[in-house]
Amino acid sequence: MTSAMPPWPTSRNTRAAFAARFGTENADFMQMAMNTGDPLADAVVAAIREDGEVRGQINDGAKNGLASLQNPHRAVVALLTQCETLPDFHPFLSLEELRTVLRNGNRPWYIFPPVVTDIGLSSGSLTQLYTSLPMSRVLDGTGRLIDGVGRRLIETTYWLDQVMYPGNLFPGRIGYVETIQVRMIHAYVRAAHLKRGYDTAALGTPISQSEMGFSWYSFSLTCLIAAEEMGYSLTPAETAEFYTYWWYIGHLLGIDPRFYVGVTNHKQAMDGALMQEMIKGKIALDGGALAQAMNTAIAMGAADDFREAQIDADPVEVIDCLTHRFHGYKVANALGVPFHHETYLKLGRYVSSVRGEQAKLRNSPEDWRLAISENMKACADRLGAGIGGQTSYQAAAAGTLDSHVI
């Protein structure tokens, strides 16, 4: 560790405790990560504040390529060069293998029906993020703590539908463009919080590399665990393919590759996630409020699916019980998510039946391919329908996002 490195944030456990458990080298890395944002995207935001024309450059360059720009700002050149350059995942993945991965899209994603990924992302991934003190503080500062939960879920689902689709992460394609927009809104929010006096001594940099790494684990590992707890599982090969696709998403989002490159199974992902758990801070009251608001929002959207599946229970209770299955009683209780004994038992029986149905499907190749095709079509149909209006990351790209957010 260099003497110039900012100190270990005071509200995120201690360096000594972390080093005792995970070693000095990992402590050095995590101390850096908690105090570092996204230098390439942050430089573009700084350039936009000096010259508004830079906003158009990053938007046009994301859509049409760096080569289409005339005299772009050096910050735009640096960011788009990183995004357009296929990362070297050697020895795990060759460049040609990576191109094949991008052409195929995240195929294992479509093993799950959309309602499963929606619940996995909401009560799984997003609720996991709400257990992080720095993440809940950032959301609180945007003024969209509770009232923005439903829209945040819709936008997150829409973005992921785009990025998982075959070919959509190649430069200039919609998933690629929107991922750069997501990366940029993180930089806008980070700059705004720093300007307002975010408590970096206690929490580190807002939306730091640590939080982005935590998000990577939440959207990959936690989402897969949630699907498993709903009766849907992947083979080891499918799991590896799922994680590998997320390596490239991590690259486009500007996340330090040391968090994810080489991760191909739950054990490897859990090793990284446990480090994040130790430094995420205590669960804040606003994190619990976020989780409960999220459960209500997703229950409204999943109610018809629950009725069709003949789960005879209140939809909110079903989501509450799934939250307990995803995160365990200790975390769910700390978030204030109620436990409903009778509904939990009903849910357990339903999940067992789903596992049996999935096993039968896998034994019939034709039926299995048909089920995946139907899931993929459902996602394509959702993308075609849109979500009504701009997403927050599209508004940030256009410069029209509410000033209290950025």
Short mmCIF file of all heavy atoms in Angstrom, two decimals, residues 49-100:
data_model
loop_
_atom_site.label_atom_id
_atom_site.label_comp_id
_atom_site.label_asym_id
_atom_site.label_seq_id
_atom_site.Cartn_x
_atom_site.Cartn_y
_atom_site.Cartn_z
N ARG A 49 -18.62 19.60 -18.05
CA ARG A 49 -18.85 20.80 -17.24
C ARG A 49 -18.07 22.00 -17.75
O ARG A 49 -18.48 23.14 -17.54
CB ARG A 49 -18.49 20.49 -15.78
CG ARG A 49 -19.50 19.54 -15.12
CD ARG A 49 -19.22 19.33 -13.65
NE ARG A 49 -20.35 18.66 -13.01
CZ ARG A 49 -20.39 18.33 -11.73
NH1 ARG A 49 -19.35 18.61 -10.95
NH2 ARG A 49 -21.45 17.73 -11.22
N GLU A 50 -16.98 21.74 -18.44
CA GLU A 50 -16.19 22.83 -19.01
C GLU A 50 -16.67 23.20 -20.41
O GLU A 50 -16.59 24.37 -20.82
CB GLU A 50 -14.71 22.43 -19.07
CG GLU A 50 -14.06 22.26 -17.71
CD GLU A 50 -12.60 21.85 -17.82
OE1 GLU A 50 -12.12 21.68 -18.97
OE2 GLU A 50 -11.95 21.70 -16.78
N ASP A 51 -17.19 22.22 -21.12
CA ASP A 51 -17.61 22.43 -22.51
C ASP A 51 -18.79 21.53 -22.81
O ASP A 51 -18.65 20.31 -22.94
CB ASP A 51 -16.45 22.12 -23.46
CG ASP A 51 -16.79 22.35 -24.93
OD1 ASP A 51 -17.95 22.70 -25.22
OD2 ASP A 51 -15.91 22.13 -25.79
N GLY A 52 -19.98 22.10 -22.91
CA GLY A 52 -21.20 21.33 -23.12
C GLY A 52 -21.21 20.51 -24.39
O GLY A 52 -21.95 19.52 -24.50
N GLU A 53 -20.38 20.88 -25.39
CA GLU A 53 -20.35 20.12 -26.64
C GLU A 53 -19.79 18.72 -26.45
O GLU A 53 -20.04 17.82 -27.28
CB GLU A 53 -19.52 20.87 -27.68
CG GLU A 53 -20.17 22.18 -28.16
CD GLU A 53 -19.41 22.81 -29.30
OE1 GLU A 53 -18.42 22.21 -29.74
OE2 GLU A 53 -19.82 23.90 -29.74
N VAL A 54 -19.07 18.49 -25.37
CA VAL A 54 -18.49 17.17 -25.11
C VAL A 54 -19.60 16.14 -24.89
O VAL A 54 -19.44 14.97 -25.24
CB VAL A 54 -17.53 17.23 -23.90
CG1 VAL A 54 -17.02 15.84 -23.54
CG2 VAL A 54 -16.36 18.15 -24.20
N ARG A 55 -20.74 16.58 -24.35
CA ARG A 55 -21.86 15.66 -24.15
C ARG A 55 -22.30 15.04 -25.48
O ARG A 55 -22.55 13.84 -25.58
CB ARG A 55 -23.04 16.38 -23.49
CG ARG A 55 -24.19 15.43 -23.13
CD ARG A 55 -25.40 16.22 -22.66
NE ARG A 55 -25.12 17.05 -21.51
CZ ARG A 55 -25.14 16.62 -20.25
NH1 ARG A 55 -25.44 15.36 -20.00
NH2 ARG A 55 -24.88 17.44 -19.25
N GLY A 56 -22.40 15.86 -26.50
CA GLY A 56 -22.77 15.36 -27.81
C GLY A 56 -21.72 14.41 -28.37
O GLY A 56 -22.05 13.43 -29.06
N GLN A 57 -20.46 14.67 -28.08
CA GLN A 57 -19.39 13.81 -28.57
C GLN A 57 -19.49 12.40 -27.98
O GLN A 57 -19.38 11.42 -28.71
CB GLN A 57 -18.03 14.42 -28.23
CG GLN A 57 -17.71 15.70 -28.96
CD GLN A 57 -16.37 16.29 -28.54
OE1 GLN A 57 -15.60 15.66 -27.79
NE2 GLN A 57 -16.08 17.50 -28.99
N ILE A 58 -19.70 12.30 -26.67
CA ILE A 58 -19.76 10.98 -26.06
C ILE A 58 -21.01 10.24 -26.52
O ILE A 58 -20.98 9.03 -26.77
CB ILE A 58 -19.68 11.06 -24.51
CG1 ILE A 58 -19.53 9.66 -23.92
CG2 ILE A 58 -20.88 11.75 -23.91
CD1 ILE A 58 -18.27 8.94 -24.30
N ASN A 59 -22.11 10.96 -26.69
CA ASN A 59 -23.34 10.32 -27.17
C ASN A 59 -23.20 9.84 -28.61
O ASN A 59 -23.54 8.69 -28.94
CB ASN A 59 -24.52 11.29 -27.06
CG ASN A 59 -24.88 11.61 -25.63
OD1 ASN A 59 -24.57 10.85 -24.72
ND2 ASN A 59 -25.54 12.75 -25.43
N ASP A 60 -22.70 10.71 -29.49
CA ASP A 60 -22.53 10.34 -30.89
C ASP A 60 -21.49 9.24 -31.05
O ASP A 60 -21.65 8.32 -31.87
CB ASP A 60 -22.14 11.55 -31.73
CG ASP A 60 -23.24 12.58 -31.83
OD1 ASP A 60 -24.41 12.22 -31.55
OD2 ASP A 60 -22.94 13.75 -32.17
N GLY A 61 -20.42 9.33 -30.26
CA GLY A 61 -19.36 8.34 -30.35
C GLY A 61 -19.81 6.96 -29.89
O GLY A 61 -19.40 5.95 -30.46
N ALA A 62 -20.66 6.93 -28.87
CA ALA A 62 -21.18 5.64 -28.41
C ALA A 62 -22.03 4.98 -29.50
O ALA A 62 -21.96 3.77 -29.71
CB ALA A 62 -22.00 5.84 -27.14
N LYS A 63 -22.81 5.79 -30.22
CA LYS A 63 -23.70 5.26 -31.24
C LYS A 63 -23.00 4.96 -32.56
O LYS A 63 -23.29 3.96 -33.22
CB LYS A 63 -24.85 6.24 -31.49
CG LYS A 63 -25.77 6.44 -30.30
CD LYS A 63 -26.80 7.52 -30.57
CE LYS A 63 -27.68 7.76 -29.36
NZ LYS A 63 -28.64 8.87 -29.56
N ASN A 64 -22.08 5.83 -32.94
CA ASN A 64 -21.50 5.73 -34.28
C ASN A 64 -20.02 5.41 -34.30
O ASN A 64 -19.44 5.25 -35.38
CB ASN A 64 -21.73 7.06 -35.02
CG ASN A 64 -23.20 7.43 -35.08
OD1 ASN A 64 -24.04 6.61 -35.46
ND2 ASN A 64 -23.53 8.66 -34.70
N GLY A 65 -19.41 5.32 -33.14
CA GLY A 65 -17.99 4.96 -33.07
C GLY A 65 -17.09 6.18 -32.94
O GLY A 65 -17.41 7.28 -33.41
N LEU A 66 -15.96 5.97 -32.27
CA LEU A 66 -15.00 7.06 -32.07
C LEU A 66 -14.52 7.62 -33.40
O LEU A 66 -14.33 8.84 -33.54
CB LEU A 66 -13.81 6.53 -31.25
CG LEU A 66 -12.65 7.49 -31.03
CD1 LEU A 66 -13.10 8.75 -30.29
CD2 LEU A 66 -11.54 6.79 -30.24
N ALA A 67 -14.35 6.77 -34.39
CA ALA A 67 -13.83 7.21 -35.69
C ALA A 67 -14.76 8.19 -36.39
O ALA A 67 -14.33 8.93 -37.29
CB ALA A 67 -13.58 6.01 -36.59
N SER A 68 -16.04 8.23 -35.98
CA SER A 68 -17.00 9.13 -36.62
C SER A 68 -16.87 10.57 -36.12
O SER A 68 -17.45 11.49 -36.71
CB SER A 68 -18.43 8.65 -36.38
OG SER A 68 -18.80 8.82 -35.01
N LEU A 69 -16.14 10.78 -35.02
CA LEU A 69 -16.05 12.10 -34.41
C LEU A 69 -14.90 12.91 -34.99
O LEU A 69 -13.83 12.36 -35.31
CB LEU A 69 -15.85 11.97 -32.90
CG LEU A 69 -16.92 11.18 -32.12
CD1 LEU A 69 -16.55 11.11 -30.64
CD2 LEU A 69 -18.29 11.80 -32.31
N GLN A 70 -15.11 14.21 -35.10
CA GLN A 70 -14.06 15.11 -35.54
C GLN A 70 -13.56 15.92 -34.34
O GLN A 70 -14.35 16.57 -33.65
CB GLN A 70 -14.57 16.06 -36.62
CG GLN A 70 -14.91 15.35 -37.93
CD GLN A 70 -15.23 16.34 -39.04
OE1 GLN A 70 -15.18 17.55 -38.85
NE2 GLN A 70 -15.57 15.82 -40.21
N ASN A 71 -12.26 15.82 -34.08
CA ASN A 71 -11.62 16.55 -32.98
C ASN A 71 -12.31 16.31 -31.63
O ASN A 71 -12.66 17.25 -30.91
CB ASN A 71 -11.60 18.05 -33.28
CG ASN A 71 -10.84 18.38 -34.55
OD1 ASN A 71 -9.78 17.81 -34.81
ND2 ASN A 71 -11.40 19.27 -35.36
N PRO A 72 -12.51 15.06 -31.26
CA PRO A 72 -13.14 14.79 -29.97
C PRO A 72 -12.22 15.16 -28.81
O PRO A 72 -10.99 15.15 -28.94
CB PRO A 72 -13.40 13.29 -30.00
CG PRO A 72 -12.34 12.75 -30.92
CD PRO A 72 -12.16 13.81 -31.97
N HIS A 73 -12.83 15.47 -27.68
CA HIS A 73 -12.08 15.76 -26.47
C HIS A 73 -11.27 14.53 -26.07
O HIS A 73 -11.70 13.39 -26.25
CB HIS A 73 -13.04 16.15 -25.34
CG HIS A 73 -12.37 16.75 -24.15
ND1 HIS A 73 -11.71 15.97 -23.20
CD2 HIS A 73 -12.27 18.03 -23.71
CE1 HIS A 73 -11.24 16.76 -22.25
NE2 HIS A 73 -11.55 18.02 -22.53
N ARG A 74 -10.09 14.75 -25.50
CA ARG A 74 -9.21 13.64 -25.14
C ARG A 74 -9.88 12.68 -24.14
O ARG A 74 -9.61 11.47 -24.15
CB ARG A 74 -7.89 14.15 -24.57
CG ARG A 74 -8.01 14.98 -23.30
CD ARG A 74 -6.66 15.50 -22.85
NE ARG A 74 -6.75 16.31 -21.65
CZ ARG A 74 -7.08 17.60 -21.64
NH1 ARG A 74 -7.33 18.22 -22.80
NH2 ARG A 74 -7.14 18.28 -20.51
N ALA A 75 -10.76 13.20 -23.28
CA ALA A 75 -11.46 12.33 -22.32
C ALA A 75 -12.43 11.40 -23.05
O ALA A 75 -12.58 10.23 -22.67
CB ALA A 75 -12.21 13.17 -21.29
N VAL A 76 -13.07 11.90 -24.09
CA VAL A 76 -13.97 11.07 -24.89
C VAL A 76 -13.18 10.00 -25.63
O VAL A 76 -13.59 8.84 -25.71
CB VAL A 76 -14.77 11.95 -25.88
CG1 VAL A 76 -15.57 11.09 -26.85
CG2 VAL A 76 -15.69 12.90 -25.12
N VAL A 77 -12.02 10.41 -26.17
CA VAL A 77 -11.15 9.45 -26.87
C VAL A 77 -10.76 8.31 -25.93
O VAL A 77 -10.83 7.13 -26.30
CB VAL A 77 -9.89 10.15 -27.42
CG1 VAL A 77 -8.92 9.12 -27.98
CG2 VAL A 77 -10.27 11.17 -28.48
N ALA A 78 -10.36 8.66 -24.72
CA ALA A 78 -9.90 7.64 -23.77
C ALA A 78 -11.02 6.67 -23.40
O ALA A 78 -10.82 5.45 -23.39
CB ALA A 78 -9.34 8.32 -22.52
N LEU A 79 -12.21 7.20 -23.11
CA LEU A 79 -13.32 6.34 -22.70
C LEU A 79 -13.77 5.44 -23.84
O LEU A 79 -13.94 4.22 -23.66
CB LEU A 79 -14.49 7.18 -22.19
CG LEU A 79 -15.74 6.39 -21.80
CD1 LEU A 79 -15.44 5.41 -20.67
CD2 LEU A 79 -16.87 7.33 -21.39
N LEU A 80 -13.99 6.02 -25.02
CA LEU A 80 -14.49 5.21 -26.13
C LEU A 80 -13.44 4.22 -26.64
O LEU A 80 -13.79 3.13 -27.09
CB LEU A 80 -14.96 6.12 -27.27
CG LEU A 80 -16.23 6.92 -26.97
CD1 LEU A 80 -16.62 7.77 -28.18
CD2 LEU A 80 -17.38 6.00 -26.59
N THR A 81 -12.18 4.57 -26.54
CA THR A 81 -11.13 3.62 -26.91
C THR A 81 -11.19 2.39 -26.02
O THR A 81 -11.10 1.25 -26.49
CB THR A 81 -9.74 4.27 -26.82
OG1 THR A 81 -9.66 5.36 -27.75
CG2 THR A 81 -8.64 3.26 -27.12
N GLN A 82 -11.37 2.63 -24.72
CA GLN A 82 -11.49 1.50 -23.79
C GLN A 82 -12.72 0.66 -24.09
O GLN A 82 -12.67 -0.57 -24.07
CB GLN A 82 -11.53 2.02 -22.35
CG GLN A 82 -11.49 0.93 -21.28
CD GLN A 82 -12.86 0.57 -20.72
OE1 GLN A 82 -13.82 1.34 -20.87
NE2 GLN A 82 -12.98 -0.59 -20.09
N CYS A 83 -13.84 1.31 -24.39
CA CYS A 83 -15.08 0.58 -24.66
C CYS A 83 -15.03 -0.19 -25.97
O CYS A 83 -15.54 -1.32 -26.07
CB CYS A 83 -16.26 1.55 -24.68
SG CYS A 83 -16.69 2.25 -23.07
N GLU A 84 -14.41 0.39 -26.98
CA GLU A 84 -14.39 -0.24 -28.31
C GLU A 84 -13.34 -1.34 -28.43
O GLU A 84 -13.41 -2.15 -29.36
CB GLU A 84 -14.15 0.83 -29.38
CG GLU A 84 -15.30 1.80 -29.54
CD GLU A 84 -15.05 2.83 -30.63
OE1 GLU A 84 -14.03 2.72 -31.34
OE2 GLU A 84 -15.88 3.76 -30.78
N THR A 85 -12.39 -1.36 -27.52
CA THR A 85 -11.32 -2.35 -27.58
C THR A 85 -11.75 -3.62 -26.83
O THR A 85 -12.05 -3.56 -25.63
CB THR A 85 -10.03 -1.81 -26.95
OG1 THR A 85 -9.65 -0.60 -27.63
CG2 THR A 85 -8.92 -2.83 -27.06
N LEU A 86 -11.80 -4.74 -27.53
CA LEU A 86 -12.15 -5.99 -26.86
C LEU A 86 -11.11 -6.29 -25.78
O LEU A 86 -9.91 -6.26 -26.06
CB LEU A 86 -12.21 -7.14 -27.85
CG LEU A 86 -13.44 -7.19 -28.78
CD1 LEU A 86 -13.34 -8.42 -29.69
CD2 LEU A 86 -14.73 -7.24 -27.99
N PRO A 87 -11.53 -6.56 -24.57
CA PRO A 87 -10.58 -6.80 -23.49
C PRO A 87 -9.85 -8.13 -23.65
O PRO A 87 -10.39 -9.08 -24.23
CB PRO A 87 -11.47 -6.82 -22.23
CG PRO A 87 -12.82 -7.23 -22.73
CD PRO A 87 -12.94 -6.64 -24.11
N ASP A 88 -8.65 -8.18 -23.14
CA ASP A 88 -7.85 -9.40 -23.20
C ASP A 88 -8.13 -10.23 -21.96
O ASP A 88 -7.66 -9.92 -20.86
CB ASP A 88 -6.36 -9.04 -23.27
CG ASP A 88 -5.48 -10.27 -23.39
OD1 ASP A 88 -6.03 -11.39 -23.50
OD2 ASP A 88 -4.24 -10.12 -23.36
N PHE A 89 -8.93 -11.28 -22.12
CA PHE A 89 -9.26 -12.16 -21.00
C PHE A 89 -8.37 -13.40 -20.99
O PHE A 89 -8.72 -14.41 -20.38
CB PHE A 89 -10.74 -12.58 -21.08
CG PHE A 89 -11.71 -11.47 -20.78
CD1 PHE A 89 -12.90 -11.37 -21.49
CD2 PHE A 89 -11.46 -10.52 -19.80
CE1 PHE A 89 -13.82 -10.36 -21.22
CE2 PHE A 89 -12.37 -9.50 -19.52
CZ PHE A 89 -13.55 -9.42 -20.23
N HIS A 90 -7.24 -13.33 -21.67
CA HIS A 90 -6.27 -14.42 -21.66
C HIS A 90 -5.80 -14.66 -20.22
O HIS A 90 -5.59 -13.71 -19.48
CB HIS A 90 -5.08 -14.05 -22.56
CG HIS A 90 -4.01 -15.09 -22.59
ND1 HIS A 90 -4.11 -16.21 -23.40
CD2 HIS A 90 -2.83 -15.19 -21.92
CE1 HIS A 90 -3.01 -16.95 -23.22
NE2 HIS A 90 -2.23 -16.35 -22.34
N PRO A 91 -5.65 -15.92 -19.80
CA PRO A 91 -5.75 -17.17 -20.56
C PRO A 91 -7.14 -17.80 -20.52
O PRO A 91 -7.30 -18.95 -20.95
CB PRO A 91 -4.74 -18.07 -19.83
CG PRO A 91 -4.89 -17.65 -18.40
CD PRO A 91 -5.14 -16.16 -18.43
N PHE A 92 -8.11 -17.08 -20.00
CA PHE A 92 -9.43 -17.67 -19.81
C PHE A 92 -10.27 -17.70 -21.09
O PHE A 92 -11.08 -18.60 -21.29
CB PHE A 92 -10.21 -16.90 -18.74
CG PHE A 92 -9.49 -16.78 -17.44
CD1 PHE A 92 -8.85 -15.60 -17.08
CD2 PHE A 92 -9.42 -17.87 -16.57
CE1 PHE A 92 -8.18 -15.50 -15.88
CE2 PHE A 92 -8.75 -17.77 -15.36
CZ PHE A 92 -8.12 -16.59 -15.01
N LEU A 93 -10.07 -16.70 -21.95
CA LEU A 93 -10.93 -16.54 -23.12
C LEU A 93 -10.16 -15.82 -24.21
O LEU A 93 -9.58 -14.75 -23.95
CB LEU A 93 -12.18 -15.73 -22.72
CG LEU A 93 -13.43 -15.84 -23.57
CD1 LEU A 93 -14.07 -17.23 -23.43
CD2 LEU A 93 -14.44 -14.77 -23.15
N SER A 94 -10.14 -16.39 -25.41
CA SER A 94 -9.48 -15.71 -26.53
C SER A 94 -10.39 -14.64 -27.09
O SER A 94 -11.59 -14.62 -26.81
CB SER A 94 -9.13 -16.72 -27.62
OG SER A 94 -10.32 -17.18 -28.27
N LEU A 95 -9.84 -13.77 -27.91
CA LEU A 95 -10.65 -12.71 -28.53
C LEU A 95 -11.72 -13.29 -29.43
O LEU A 95 -12.85 -12.80 -29.46
CB LEU A 95 -9.75 -11.75 -29.31
CG LEU A 95 -8.81 -10.87 -28.48
CD1 LEU A 95 -7.99 -9.97 -29.40
CD2 LEU A 95 -9.60 -10.03 -27.48
N GLU A 96 -11.41 -14.36 -30.15
CA GLU A 96 -12.41 -14.97 -31.02
C GLU A 96 -13.51 -15.62 -30.20
O GLU A 96 -14.70 -15.56 -30.55
CB GLU A 96 -11.75 -16.01 -31.95
CG GLU A 96 -12.70 -16.55 -33.00
CD GLU A 96 -13.39 -15.45 -33.81
OE1 GLU A 96 -12.72 -14.47 -34.21
OE2 GLU A 96 -14.61 -15.57 -34.04
N GLU A 97 -13.13 -16.25 -29.10
CA GLU A 97 -14.14 -16.83 -28.21
C GLU A 97 -15.03 -15.74 -27.62
O GLU A 97 -16.25 -15.93 -27.48
CB GLU A 97 -13.47 -17.62 -27.10
CG GLU A 97 -12.86 -18.94 -27.57
CD GLU A 97 -12.02 -19.60 -26.50
OE1 GLU A 97 -11.43 -18.87 -25.66
OE2 GLU A 97 -11.94 -20.84 -26.49
N LEU A 98 -14.44 -14.59 -27.30
CA LEU A 98 -15.24 -13.48 -26.76
C LEU A 98 -16.22 -12.97 -27.81
O LEU A 98 -17.38 -12.68 -27.50
CB LEU A 98 -14.31 -12.35 -26.30
CG LEU A 98 -15.00 -11.08 -25.79
CD1 LEU A 98 -15.96 -11.39 -24.64
CD2 LEU A 98 -13.97 -10.04 -25.37
N ARG A 99 -15.79 -12.87 -29.06
CA ARG A 99 -16.70 -12.44 -30.13
C ARG A 99 -17.87 -13.41 -30.26
O ARG A 99 -19.02 -13.00 -30.47
CB ARG A 99 -15.94 -12.34 -31.45
CG ARG A 99 -14.93 -11.19 -31.51
CD ARG A 99 -14.35 -11.04 -32.91
NE ARG A 99 -13.32 -10.00 -32.94
CZ ARG A 99 -12.02 -10.23 -32.82
NH1 ARG A 99 -11.59 -11.50 -32.69
NH2 ARG A 99 -11.14 -9.25 -32.85
N THR A 100 -17.60 -14.70 -30.12
CA THR A 100 -18.67 -15.70 -30.18
C THR A 100 -19.64 -15.51 -29.02
O THR A 100 -20.86 -15.60 -29.20
CB THR A 100 -18.07 -17.12 -30.15
OG1 THR A 100 -17.22 -17.29 -31.29
CG2 THR A 100 -19.17 -18.17 -30.18
#
